[in-house]
Amino acid sequence: VSPISDEELAAHLGRRSADRLTVVQRQALLADAARVKGEGRTWQLRPAMLVPPIAAALILAVLLYPILLSTGWPPSASPTGLSGSTTTSPSGVPTSPPAATPSAPLPDEPTVYSAQQLSDMIGDPDWIGRVVLAEVRIGHMMAPPINACAVPLGPCTVAFLADVTGKNVVDVGWRDAATGEGLRVDDDASVRWVQLVGVHEELGLKAFQIQALSVLYLGPVVAHGDDLVWPVAQVPVGGPDEASDDLYAVDGWLLETIIAECPAPNDYGPDTNLDYWCGGSFLIGSNARAPQVSDVFDLGGLHVQGAAYQDFAPDPSLNRGQGTEPRRATYLVRQAACQPVVAGECPVWRMVGRLD
Amino acid sequence: MDRALVERARAGDATAFDGLAGERIDGMYRTALGILGNPADARDATQDALLSAWRSLKSLRDADQFEPWLRRITVNAARMVARKRRVREIHMDPDYEPAAVAGHVSASRFDRAFEQLPVEQRALLLEHHLEGRSVAELAVQLAIPEGTVKSRLHTARNALDRALEETET
């Protein structure tokens, strides 16, 4: 006969396990675990890490400059500032091309980060808001959490970064779709056809925007042969009604055209999207001519959404009617089919960020 | 169980893991305390189990098996703490007093007997008699046949009976 019944055994086991963690003990345990987890993080590139080598280089340059001057270098002084900046004629129309001259700064080849480096950027104040390229694999959640997609046009938390230790939540953004395809979004200010960017799971070059708790997946990036960056004139252009997930990193000059009187579009209404109507923002190549009044319908290059210049150009200038100063950089764009109202040729393009 | 959360944690998402741990830490502590009988040791075991789970989560092949996998890790962590406790002076929380249980066996006698059992037997008795897990559930959790679970439960119960008899005096 057992000296203890099942009921008494259970009572003793319950007594032994009766103690509960206090709130403080609970938090301490979780905090200790979080601390140890953080110790395992791999090396990451932070801007602060670049300060010592840059400082050393500057000091070296200051020390060497008098010596170089004494040898007659440089042979001739270059004009300061962007020589590609436009000048303005008395009529207010830009007259000089925003073309690159030999002294115009060439954008650096964008850095491609690893999955772990991308993960480590999440929540880092130095990186939040920036758009970066990374070579990563993405896992697609089988069952997205309820309310994973914020509407309208909010990001969807439906994927995760593979092969990383640490933060890995991937929000997936929206892209333009051809008219009649995808979702018609009417936010009382404009109307657009959109669909979610496809989750491209395989290892490949992809673009992301860094956020506080996640990265926003912008899409796959198409390389230009062995290079990453495309000149404006060589960016592949699909059919006028085609929209795509594919992103291109394009070296070009971004500007806003002059502001001119335009007739209202035929189907103008309170919810008409005027992103591509009557001028706006264009990404043009170094050989493009100066914008003219007639260019409000098509300047050439890549016609991007109207707000692109103010959103993405470095140090954008104000448009007081005569257009803005062109800004050269490497911008990320994708083909956006024909939006409901477009002045000029289709397809138009959607700019999603700038690569620094 | 949130399978997606487990998948995210397995892929290295510390936030997802914190979410999983926060929901289960009380159960882990309760299991460790039942095995070890000492709150301080149970906290050590819970902490070790959390870290062990984080480090080895990638080895979890099936997210649906997260719960039993975590219980096994907790039992293992308790075993390691129990092993360390054998080679150092036993310390008790000065404020911790075992409560009395109505019955034939006093609390101190039960504890002395129970702690003579191997950790695996303590864990099995806890899971079955306190947590109420059936033989079938334990068979899935331990990945052994139900007959083996029954046999192990029988062996554990006999071992406890013998230990109680030895501690009667």
mmCIF file of all heavy atoms in Angstrom, chain A residues 2 4 6 8-10 12 15-17 19 25-26 29 32-33 36-37 141 160 164-166 168-169, chain B residues 8 11-13 18 22 26 29 33-37 43 47 54-55 99 104-105 111 115 157 161:
data_model
loop_
_atom_site.group_PDB
_atom_site.id
_atom_site.type_symbol
_atom_site.label_atom_id
_atom_site.label_comp_id
_atom_site.label_asym_id
_atom_site.label_seq_id
_atom_site.Cartn_x
_atom_site.Cartn_y
_atom_site.Cartn_z
ATOM 1 N N SER A 2 0.619 2.164 -0.922
ATOM 2 C CA SER A 2 1.434 3.371 -0.996
ATOM 3 C C SER A 2 1.195 4.245 0.230
ATOM 4 O O SER A 2 0.052 4.395 0.687
ATOM 5 C CB SER A 2 1.064 4.146 -2.264
ATOM 6 O OG SER A 2 1.728 5.382 -2.272
ATOM 7 N N ILE A 4 1.182 7.278 0.294
ATOM 8 C CA ILE A 4 0.589 8.572 -0.097
ATOM 9 C C ILE A 4 -0.400 8.345 -1.245
ATOM 10 O O ILE A 4 -0.096 7.640 -2.217
ATOM 11 C CB ILE A 4 1.702 9.574 -0.486
ATOM 12 C CG1 ILE A 4 1.127 10.964 -0.707
ATOM 13 C CG2 ILE A 4 2.485 9.108 -1.698
ATOM 14 C CD1 ILE A 4 2.209 12.043 -0.806
ATOM 15 N N ASP A 6 -2.951 9.496 -4.427
ATOM 16 C CA ASP A 6 -2.779 10.392 -5.569
ATOM 17 C C ASP A 6 -3.182 11.822 -5.209
ATOM 18 O O ASP A 6 -2.545 12.791 -5.622
ATOM 19 C CB ASP A 6 -3.633 9.912 -6.751
ATOM 20 C CG ASP A 6 -2.982 8.741 -7.468
ATOM 21 O OD1 ASP A 6 -1.840 8.372 -7.092
ATOM 22 O OD2 ASP A 6 -3.627 8.181 -8.376
ATOM 23 N N GLU A 8 -3.141 13.263 -2.242
ATOM 24 C CA GLU A 8 -2.163 13.898 -1.350
ATOM 25 C C GLU A 8 -0.871 14.219 -2.107
ATOM 26 O O GLU A 8 -0.236 15.250 -1.875
ATOM 27 C CB GLU A 8 -1.860 12.980 -0.157
ATOM 28 C CG GLU A 8 -1.108 13.710 0.955
ATOM 29 C CD GLU A 8 -0.899 12.827 2.176
ATOM 30 O OE1 GLU A 8 -1.441 11.708 2.232
ATOM 31 O OE2 GLU A 8 -0.171 13.278 3.091
ATOM 32 N N LEU A 9 -0.519 13.326 -3.028
ATOM 33 C CA LEU A 9 0.663 13.590 -3.865
ATOM 34 C C LEU A 9 0.467 14.890 -4.644
ATOM 35 O O LEU A 9 1.346 15.756 -4.679
ATOM 36 C CB LEU A 9 0.897 12.416 -4.816
ATOM 37 C CG LEU A 9 1.958 12.615 -5.911
ATOM 38 C CD1 LEU A 9 3.323 12.962 -5.311
ATOM 39 C CD2 LEU A 9 2.056 11.369 -6.780
ATOM 40 N N ALA A 10 -0.704 15.030 -5.258
ATOM 41 C CA ALA A 10 -0.981 16.243 -6.035
ATOM 42 C C ALA A 10 -0.974 17.474 -5.135
ATOM 43 O O ALA A 10 -0.473 18.542 -5.519
ATOM 44 C CB ALA A 10 -2.326 16.116 -6.752
ATOM 45 N N HIS A 12 0.767 17.885 -2.367
ATOM 46 C CA HIS A 12 2.152 18.219 -2.027
ATOM 47 C C HIS A 12 2.876 18.858 -3.201
ATOM 48 O O HIS A 12 3.634 19.815 -3.040
ATOM 49 C CB HIS A 12 2.903 16.952 -1.573
ATOM 50 C CG HIS A 12 2.729 16.660 -0.115
ATOM 51 N ND1 HIS A 12 3.217 17.487 0.875
ATOM 52 C CD2 HIS A 12 2.111 15.626 0.528
ATOM 53 C CE1 HIS A 12 2.911 16.989 2.062
ATOM 54 N NE2 HIS A 12 2.235 15.851 1.892
ATOM 55 N N ARG A 15 1.721 22.305 -3.416
ATOM 56 C CA ARG A 15 2.345 23.119 -2.364
ATOM 57 C C ARG A 15 3.760 23.517 -2.763
ATOM 58 O O ARG A 15 4.157 24.677 -2.616
ATOM 59 C CB ARG A 15 2.377 22.311 -1.054
ATOM 60 C CG ARG A 15 3.239 22.931 0.038
ATOM 61 C CD ARG A 15 3.391 22.014 1.221
ATOM 62 N NE ARG A 15 3.952 20.715 0.887
ATOM 63 C CZ ARG A 15 5.249 20.498 0.647
ATOM 64 N NH1 ARG A 15 6.108 21.511 0.680
ATOM 65 N NH2 ARG A 15 5.696 19.296 0.361
ATOM 66 N N ARG A 16 4.502 22.539 -3.301
ATOM 67 C CA ARG A 16 5.879 22.845 -3.691
ATOM 68 C C ARG A 16 5.927 23.902 -4.798
ATOM 69 O O ARG A 16 6.879 24.687 -4.878
ATOM 70 C CB ARG A 16 6.573 21.569 -4.202
ATOM 71 C CG ARG A 16 7.018 20.615 -3.122
ATOM 72 C CD ARG A 16 7.586 19.351 -3.744
ATOM 73 N NE ARG A 16 8.788 19.583 -4.532
ATOM 74 C CZ ARG A 16 10.019 19.583 -4.033
ATOM 75 N NH1 ARG A 16 10.215 19.387 -2.732
ATOM 76 N NH2 ARG A 16 11.054 19.792 -4.800
ATOM 77 N N SER A 17 4.925 23.890 -5.643
ATOM 78 C CA SER A 17 4.940 24.803 -6.802
ATOM 79 C C SER A 17 4.108 26.058 -6.553
ATOM 80 O O SER A 17 3.877 26.829 -7.495
ATOM 81 C CB SER A 17 4.372 24.077 -8.034
ATOM 82 O OG SER A 17 5.059 22.882 -8.266
ATOM 83 N N ASP A 19 4.600 28.820 -4.862
ATOM 84 C CA ASP A 19 5.221 30.138 -4.880
ATOM 85 C C ASP A 19 5.122 30.738 -6.286
ATOM 86 O O ASP A 19 5.241 30.034 -7.282
ATOM 87 C CB ASP A 19 6.692 30.022 -4.464
ATOM 88 C CG ASP A 19 7.357 31.372 -4.377
ATOM 89 O OD1 ASP A 19 6.929 32.186 -3.540
ATOM 90 O OD2 ASP A 19 8.298 31.622 -5.164
ATOM 91 N N GLN A 25 10.679 40.018 -9.761
ATOM 92 C CA GLN A 25 11.472 38.838 -10.128
ATOM 93 C C GLN A 25 11.248 38.466 -11.600
ATOM 94 O O GLN A 25 12.185 38.105 -12.308
ATOM 95 C CB GLN A 25 11.079 37.656 -9.236
ATOM 96 C CG GLN A 25 11.567 37.786 -7.808
ATOM 97 C CD GLN A 25 10.939 36.736 -6.896
ATOM 98 O OE1 GLN A 25 9.913 36.150 -7.213
ATOM 99 N NE2 GLN A 25 11.563 36.511 -5.743
ATOM 100 N N ARG A 26 9.994 38.575 -12.006
ATOM 101 C CA ARG A 26 9.643 38.238 -13.376
ATOM 102 C C ARG A 26 10.377 39.161 -14.345
ATOM 103 O O ARG A 26 10.986 38.719 -15.334
ATOM 104 C CB ARG A 26 8.136 38.424 -13.517
ATOM 105 C CG ARG A 26 7.480 37.667 -14.596
ATOM 106 C CD ARG A 26 5.963 37.703 -14.357
ATOM 107 N NE ARG A 26 5.286 36.954 -15.391
ATOM 108 C CZ ARG A 26 5.043 37.435 -16.582
ATOM 109 N NH1 ARG A 26 5.391 38.661 -16.884
ATOM 110 N NH2 ARG A 26 4.445 36.680 -17.486
ATOM 111 N N LEU A 29 14.124 38.426 -14.501
ATOM 112 C CA LEU A 29 14.470 37.243 -15.293
ATOM 113 C C LEU A 29 14.427 37.562 -16.786
ATOM 114 O O LEU A 29 15.330 37.201 -17.546
ATOM 115 C CB LEU A 29 13.503 36.097 -14.980
ATOM 116 C CG LEU A 29 13.742 35.350 -13.669
ATOM 117 C CD1 LEU A 29 12.594 34.380 -13.407
ATOM 118 C CD2 LEU A 29 15.057 34.598 -13.715
ATOM 119 N N ASP A 32 17.312 39.880 -17.702
ATOM 120 C CA ASP A 32 18.591 39.173 -17.790
ATOM 121 C C ASP A 32 18.695 38.417 -19.100
ATOM 122 O O ASP A 32 19.737 38.403 -19.755
ATOM 123 C CB ASP A 32 18.730 38.190 -16.620
ATOM 124 C CG ASP A 32 19.150 38.910 -15.351
ATOM 125 O OD1 ASP A 32 19.553 40.094 -15.455
ATOM 126 O OD2 ASP A 32 19.080 38.302 -14.278
ATOM 127 N N ALA A 33 17.604 37.787 -19.462
ATOM 128 C CA ALA A 33 17.603 37.032 -20.719
ATOM 129 C C ALA A 33 17.815 37.977 -21.896
ATOM 130 O O ALA A 33 18.580 37.683 -22.812
ATOM 131 C CB ALA A 33 16.292 36.274 -20.870
ATOM 132 N N VAL A 36 21.524 39.080 -22.100
ATOM 133 C CA VAL A 36 22.415 38.052 -22.643
ATOM 134 C C VAL A 36 22.177 37.859 -24.129
ATOM 135 O O VAL A 36 23.099 37.666 -24.902
ATOM 136 C CB VAL A 36 22.218 36.725 -21.877
ATOM 137 C CG1 VAL A 36 23.030 35.613 -22.511
ATOM 138 C CG2 VAL A 36 22.622 36.922 -20.430
ATOM 139 N N LYS A 37 20.906 37.971 -24.552
ATOM 140 C CA LYS A 37 20.624 37.844 -25.973
ATOM 141 C C LYS A 37 21.339 38.933 -26.751
ATOM 142 O O LYS A 37 21.886 38.693 -27.811
ATOM 143 C CB LYS A 37 19.119 37.960 -26.231
ATOM 144 C CG LYS A 37 18.378 36.662 -26.001
ATOM 145 C CD LYS A 37 16.924 36.819 -26.342
ATOM 146 C CE LYS A 37 16.251 37.771 -25.408
ATOM 147 N NZ LYS A 37 14.831 37.952 -25.640
ATOM 148 N N MET A 141 5.437 34.640 -43.814
ATOM 149 C CA MET A 141 4.645 33.979 -42.781
ATOM 150 C C MET A 141 3.494 33.215 -43.421
ATOM 151 O O MET A 141 2.806 33.718 -44.302
ATOM 152 C CB MET A 141 4.077 35.006 -41.808
ATOM 153 C CG MET A 141 5.128 35.615 -40.921
ATOM 154 S SD MET A 141 4.363 36.762 -39.786
ATOM 155 C CE MET A 141 5.813 37.549 -39.116
ATOM 156 N N PHE A 160 9.458 37.964 -42.603
ATOM 157 C CA PHE A 160 10.563 38.134 -41.657
ATOM 158 C C PHE A 160 11.883 37.931 -42.392
ATOM 159 O O PHE A 160 11.952 37.238 -43.414
ATOM 160 C CB PHE A 160 10.433 37.180 -40.479
ATOM 161 C CG PHE A 160 10.429 35.726 -40.863
ATOM 162 C CD1 PHE A 160 11.612 35.021 -40.981
ATOM 163 C CD2 PHE A 160 9.237 35.066 -41.114
ATOM 164 C CE1 PHE A 160 11.612 33.688 -41.338
ATOM 165 C CE2 PHE A 160 9.220 33.729 -41.476
ATOM 166 C CZ PHE A 160 10.416 33.030 -41.590
ATOM 167 N N VAL A 164 19.068 35.821 -39.530
ATOM 168 C CA VAL A 164 19.546 36.895 -38.664
ATOM 169 C C VAL A 164 19.286 36.529 -37.212
ATOM 170 O O VAL A 164 18.408 35.729 -36.897
ATOM 171 C CB VAL A 164 18.868 38.258 -38.968
ATOM 172 C CG1 VAL A 164 19.110 38.660 -40.390
ATOM 173 C CG2 VAL A 164 17.378 38.208 -38.661
ATOM 174 N N THR A 165 20.079 37.141 -36.354
ATOM 175 C CA THR A 165 19.850 37.058 -34.925
ATOM 176 C C THR A 165 19.439 38.445 -34.471
ATOM 177 O O THR A 165 20.197 39.389 -34.634
ATOM 178 C CB THR A 165 21.130 36.631 -34.185
ATOM 179 O OG1 THR A 165 21.511 35.358 -34.676
ATOM 180 C CG2 THR A 165 20.892 36.569 -32.688
ATOM 181 N N GLY A 166 18.266 38.562 -33.924
ATOM 182 C CA GLY A 166 17.800 39.870 -33.490
ATOM 183 C C GLY A 166 16.511 40.229 -34.188
ATOM 184 O O GLY A 166 15.733 39.355 -34.565
ATOM 185 N N ASN A 168 13.748 41.064 -36.753
ATOM 186 C CA ASN A 168 13.634 40.534 -38.119
ATOM 187 C C ASN A 168 12.260 40.764 -38.741
ATOM 188 O O ASN A 168 11.938 40.153 -39.758
ATOM 189 C CB ASN A 168 13.948 39.045 -38.124
ATOM 190 C CG ASN A 168 12.862 38.240 -37.448
ATOM 191 O OD1 ASN A 168 12.063 38.782 -36.703
ATOM 192 N ND2 ASN A 168 12.828 36.957 -37.707
ATOM 193 N N VAL A 169 11.469 41.636 -38.145
ATOM 194 C CA VAL A 169 10.116 41.829 -38.679
ATOM 195 C C VAL A 169 10.186 42.627 -39.979
ATOM 196 O O VAL A 169 10.856 43.650 -40.063
ATOM 197 C CB VAL A 169 9.230 42.573 -37.655
ATOM 198 C CG1 VAL A 169 7.838 42.801 -38.231
ATOM 199 C CG2 VAL A 169 9.154 41.777 -36.371
ATOM 200 N N ARG B 8 8.975 33.462 -35.989
ATOM 201 C CA ARG B 8 9.775 34.695 -35.947
ATOM 202 C C ARG B 8 10.904 34.581 -34.943
ATOM 203 O O ARG B 8 12.039 34.986 -35.199
ATOM 204 C CB ARG B 8 8.881 35.887 -35.593
ATOM 205 C CG ARG B 8 8.092 36.420 -36.774
ATOM 206 C CD ARG B 8 7.082 37.461 -36.334
ATOM 207 N NE ARG B 8 7.647 38.465 -35.445
ATOM 208 C CZ ARG B 8 6.924 39.257 -34.646
ATOM 209 N NH1 ARG B 8 5.618 39.163 -34.656
ATOM 210 N NH2 ARG B 8 7.507 40.145 -33.881
ATOM 211 N N ALA B 11 13.622 32.538 -36.189
ATOM 212 C CA ALA B 11 14.433 33.235 -37.194
ATOM 213 C C ALA B 11 15.306 34.320 -36.566
ATOM 214 O O ALA B 11 16.013 35.017 -37.277
ATOM 215 C CB ALA B 11 13.520 33.846 -38.248
ATOM 216 N N GLY B 12 15.238 34.449 -35.237
ATOM 217 C CA GLY B 12 16.129 35.378 -34.571
ATOM 218 C C GLY B 12 15.485 36.642 -34.060
ATOM 219 O O GLY B 12 16.183 37.571 -33.647
ATOM 220 N N ASP B 13 14.175 36.707 -34.088
ATOM 221 C CA ASP B 13 13.485 37.912 -33.630
ATOM 222 C C ASP B 13 13.397 37.898 -32.102
ATOM 223 O O ASP B 13 12.587 37.177 -31.513
ATOM 224 C CB ASP B 13 12.088 37.958 -34.252
ATOM 225 C CG ASP B 13 11.335 39.233 -33.878
ATOM 226 O OD1 ASP B 13 11.756 39.904 -32.920
ATOM 227 O OD2 ASP B 13 10.343 39.540 -34.541
ATOM 228 N N ASP B 18 10.741 37.334 -26.703
ATOM 229 C CA ASP B 18 10.315 37.940 -25.440
ATOM 230 C C ASP B 18 8.821 37.739 -25.230
ATOM 231 O O ASP B 18 8.369 37.515 -24.103
ATOM 232 C CB ASP B 18 10.648 39.439 -25.438
ATOM 233 C CG ASP B 18 12.151 39.673 -25.333
ATOM 234 O OD1 ASP B 18 12.867 38.704 -24.988
ATOM 235 O OD2 ASP B 18 12.587 40.795 -25.605
ATOM 236 N N GLY B 22 7.495 35.731 -22.114
ATOM 237 C CA GLY B 22 6.664 36.422 -21.138
ATOM 238 C C GLY B 22 5.396 35.652 -20.809
ATOM 239 O O GLY B 22 4.914 35.676 -19.678
ATOM 240 N N ASP B 26 5.933 31.990 -16.111
ATOM 241 C CA ASP B 26 5.334 31.532 -14.854
ATOM 242 C C ASP B 26 5.222 30.012 -14.821
ATOM 243 O O ASP B 26 5.483 29.383 -13.798
ATOM 244 C CB ASP B 26 3.958 32.180 -14.667
ATOM 245 C CG ASP B 26 4.077 33.676 -14.416
ATOM 246 O OD1 ASP B 26 5.015 34.090 -13.711
ATOM 247 O OD2 ASP B 26 3.250 34.432 -14.943
ATOM 248 N N TYR B 29 8.667 28.571 -14.304
ATOM 249 C CA TYR B 29 9.093 28.718 -12.906
ATOM 250 C C TYR B 29 8.379 27.695 -12.023
ATOM 251 O O TYR B 29 8.985 27.083 -11.137
ATOM 252 C CB TYR B 29 8.796 30.137 -12.440
ATOM 253 C CG TYR B 29 9.082 30.365 -10.972
ATOM 254 C CD1 TYR B 29 10.383 30.441 -10.489
ATOM 255 C CD2 TYR B 29 8.035 30.502 -10.057
ATOM 256 C CE1 TYR B 29 10.639 30.644 -9.148
ATOM 257 C CE2 TYR B 29 8.277 30.707 -8.721
ATOM 258 C CZ TYR B 29 9.584 30.781 -8.267
ATOM 259 O OH TYR B 29 9.832 30.972 -6.938
ATOM 260 N N LEU B 33 10.217 25.014 -9.837
ATOM 261 C CA LEU B 33 10.034 25.044 -8.386
ATOM 262 C C LEU B 33 9.522 23.699 -7.876
ATOM 263 O O LEU B 33 9.956 23.209 -6.819
ATOM 264 C CB LEU B 33 9.059 26.162 -8.020
ATOM 265 C CG LEU B 33 8.810 26.387 -6.528
ATOM 266 C CD1 LEU B 33 10.121 26.732 -5.806
ATOM 267 C CD2 LEU B 33 7.793 27.500 -6.314
ATOM 268 N N GLY B 34 8.604 23.104 -8.633
ATOM 269 C CA GLY B 34 8.110 21.798 -8.224
ATOM 270 C C GLY B 34 9.229 20.772 -8.174
ATOM 271 O O GLY B 34 9.289 19.924 -7.283
ATOM 272 N N ILE B 35 10.135 20.847 -9.122
ATOM 273 C CA ILE B 35 11.247 19.895 -9.161
ATOM 274 C C ILE B 35 12.265 20.193 -8.068
ATOM 275 O O ILE B 35 12.734 19.294 -7.364
ATOM 276 C CB ILE B 35 11.932 19.942 -10.545
ATOM 277 C CG1 ILE B 35 10.979 19.402 -11.611
ATOM 278 C CG2 ILE B 35 13.250 19.177 -10.535
ATOM 279 C CD1 ILE B 35 11.462 19.625 -13.034
ATOM 280 N N LEU B 36 12.594 21.446 -7.896
ATOM 281 C CA LEU B 36 13.707 21.815 -7.021
ATOM 282 C C LEU B 36 13.259 22.139 -5.592
ATOM 283 O O LEU B 36 14.046 22.001 -4.651
ATOM 284 C CB LEU B 36 14.462 23.011 -7.609
ATOM 285 C CG LEU B 36 15.112 22.741 -8.982
ATOM 286 C CD1 LEU B 36 15.563 24.041 -9.634
ATOM 287 C CD2 LEU B 36 16.289 21.786 -8.833
ATOM 288 N N GLY B 37 12.045 22.634 -5.446
ATOM 289 C CA GLY B 37 11.540 22.921 -4.108
ATOM 290 C C GLY B 37 12.132 24.148 -3.461
ATOM 291 O O GLY B 37 11.970 24.351 -2.260
ATOM 292 N N ARG B 43 14.352 30.015 -9.708
ATOM 293 C CA ARG B 43 14.595 31.207 -10.535
ATOM 294 C C ARG B 43 15.849 31.019 -11.390
ATOM 295 O O ARG B 43 15.875 31.399 -12.562
ATOM 296 C CB ARG B 43 14.717 32.458 -9.646
ATOM 297 C CG ARG B 43 13.393 32.920 -9.061
ATOM 298 C CD ARG B 43 13.494 34.344 -8.506
ATOM 299 N NE ARG B 43 14.392 34.429 -7.358
ATOM 300 C CZ ARG B 43 14.031 34.207 -6.100
ATOM 301 N NH1 ARG B 43 12.789 33.870 -5.817
ATOM 302 N NH2 ARG B 43 14.896 34.324 -5.107
ATOM 303 N N GLN B 47 15.853 31.029 -15.442
ATOM 304 C CA GLN B 47 16.715 31.904 -16.237
ATOM 305 C C GLN B 47 17.590 31.092 -17.200
ATOM 306 O O GLN B 47 17.718 31.434 -18.380
ATOM 307 C CB GLN B 47 17.604 32.737 -15.315
ATOM 308 C CG GLN B 47 18.446 33.755 -16.065
ATOM 309 C CD GLN B 47 19.274 34.588 -15.118
ATOM 310 O OE1 GLN B 47 19.878 34.053 -14.189
ATOM 311 N NE2 GLN B 47 19.270 35.876 -15.316
ATOM 312 N N TRP B 54 16.579 30.334 -26.041
ATOM 313 C CA TRP B 54 16.933 31.339 -27.043
ATOM 314 C C TRP B 54 18.072 30.840 -27.935
ATOM 315 O O TRP B 54 18.045 30.966 -29.148
ATOM 316 C CB TRP B 54 17.311 32.642 -26.350
ATOM 317 C CG TRP B 54 17.954 33.634 -27.272
ATOM 318 C CD1 TRP B 54 19.259 34.016 -27.287
ATOM 319 C CD2 TRP B 54 17.327 34.372 -28.336
ATOM 320 N NE1 TRP B 54 19.487 34.933 -28.273
ATOM 321 C CE2 TRP B 54 18.321 35.168 -28.936
ATOM 322 C CE3 TRP B 54 16.026 34.416 -28.821
ATOM 323 C CZ2 TRP B 54 18.046 36.011 -29.996
ATOM 324 C CZ3 TRP B 54 15.758 35.261 -29.895
ATOM 325 C CH2 TRP B 54 16.760 36.045 -30.463
ATOM 326 N N ARG B 55 19.080 30.239 -27.263
ATOM 327 C CA ARG B 55 20.266 29.835 -28.023
ATOM 328 C C ARG B 55 19.995 28.645 -28.930
ATOM 329 O O ARG B 55 20.634 28.497 -29.962
ATOM 330 C CB ARG B 55 21.410 29.490 -27.052
ATOM 331 C CG ARG B 55 21.977 30.731 -26.378
ATOM 332 C CD ARG B 55 23.081 30.370 -25.414
ATOM 333 N NE ARG B 55 23.643 31.561 -24.776
ATOM 334 C CZ ARG B 55 23.868 31.680 -23.486
ATOM 335 N NH1 ARG B 55 23.600 30.672 -22.674
ATOM 336 N NH2 ARG B 55 24.361 32.779 -22.986
ATOM 337 N N ALA B 99 4.252 25.245 3.050
ATOM 338 C CA ALA B 99 2.935 25.218 3.683
ATOM 339 C C ALA B 99 2.572 23.785 4.061
ATOM 340 O O ALA B 99 3.095 22.827 3.494
ATOM 341 C CB ALA B 99 1.896 25.777 2.714
ATOM 342 N N HIS B 104 -1.384 12.328 5.516
ATOM 343 C CA HIS B 104 -0.558 11.495 6.371
ATOM 344 C C HIS B 104 0.902 11.892 6.359
ATOM 345 O O HIS B 104 1.652 11.590 7.257
ATOM 346 C CB HIS B 104 -0.680 10.028 5.928
ATOM 347 C CG HIS B 104 -2.079 9.502 6.018
ATOM 348 N ND1 HIS B 104 -2.956 9.503 4.955
ATOM 349 C CD2 HIS B 104 -2.761 8.975 7.068
ATOM 350 C CE1 HIS B 104 -4.117 8.992 5.323
ATOM 351 N NE2 HIS B 104 -4.022 8.670 6.611
ATOM 352 N N VAL B 105 1.316 12.544 5.281
ATOM 353 C CA VAL B 105 2.738 12.837 5.096
ATOM 354 C C VAL B 105 2.975 14.329 5.329
ATOM 355 O O VAL B 105 2.303 15.167 4.715
ATOM 356 C CB VAL B 105 3.181 12.445 3.669
ATOM 357 C CG1 VAL B 105 4.656 12.769 3.463
ATOM 358 C CG2 VAL B 105 2.908 10.977 3.411
ATOM 359 N N ASP B 111 9.067 16.456 1.064
ATOM 360 C CA ASP B 111 10.107 17.142 0.301
ATOM 361 C C ASP B 111 11.409 16.362 0.327
ATOM 362 O O ASP B 111 12.111 16.250 -0.683
ATOM 363 C CB ASP B 111 10.320 18.554 0.856
ATOM 364 C CG ASP B 111 9.169 19.483 0.482
ATOM 365 O OD1 ASP B 111 8.338 19.072 -0.362
ATOM 366 O OD2 ASP B 111 9.078 20.595 1.037
ATOM 367 N N GLU B 115 12.886 14.812 -3.175
ATOM 368 C CA GLU B 115 14.155 15.304 -3.711
ATOM 369 C C GLU B 115 15.219 14.220 -3.797
ATOM 370 O O GLU B 115 16.331 14.481 -4.256
ATOM 371 C CB GLU B 115 14.613 16.518 -2.897
ATOM 372 C CG GLU B 115 13.735 17.728 -3.236
ATOM 373 C CD GLU B 115 13.929 18.905 -2.305
ATOM 374 O OE1 GLU B 115 14.994 18.991 -1.661
ATOM 375 O OE2 GLU B 115 12.997 19.725 -2.205
ATOM 376 N N ARG B 157 6.570 6.450 -9.255
ATOM 377 C CA ARG B 157 5.694 6.368 -8.085
ATOM 378 C C ARG B 157 6.256 5.387 -7.043
ATOM 379 O O ARG B 157 6.246 5.655 -5.841
ATOM 380 C CB ARG B 157 4.295 5.939 -8.539
ATOM 381 C CG ARG B 157 3.246 5.999 -7.451
ATOM 382 C CD ARG B 157 3.099 7.448 -6.964
ATOM 383 N NE ARG B 157 2.368 7.477 -5.702
ATOM 384 C CZ ARG B 157 1.052 7.612 -5.594
ATOM 385 N NH1 ARG B 157 0.320 7.742 -6.673
ATOM 386 N NH2 ARG B 157 0.469 7.632 -4.412
ATOM 387 N N ASP B 161 7.436 6.138 -3.192
ATOM 388 C CA ASP B 161 6.943 5.373 -2.045
ATOM 389 C C ASP B 161 8.118 4.878 -1.199
ATOM 390 O O ASP B 161 8.101 4.966 0.044
ATOM 391 C CB ASP B 161 6.104 4.176 -2.520
ATOM 392 C CG ASP B 161 4.761 4.626 -3.087
ATOM 393 O OD1 ASP B 161 4.429 5.824 -2.912
ATOM 394 O OD2 ASP B 161 4.076 3.804 -3.722
#
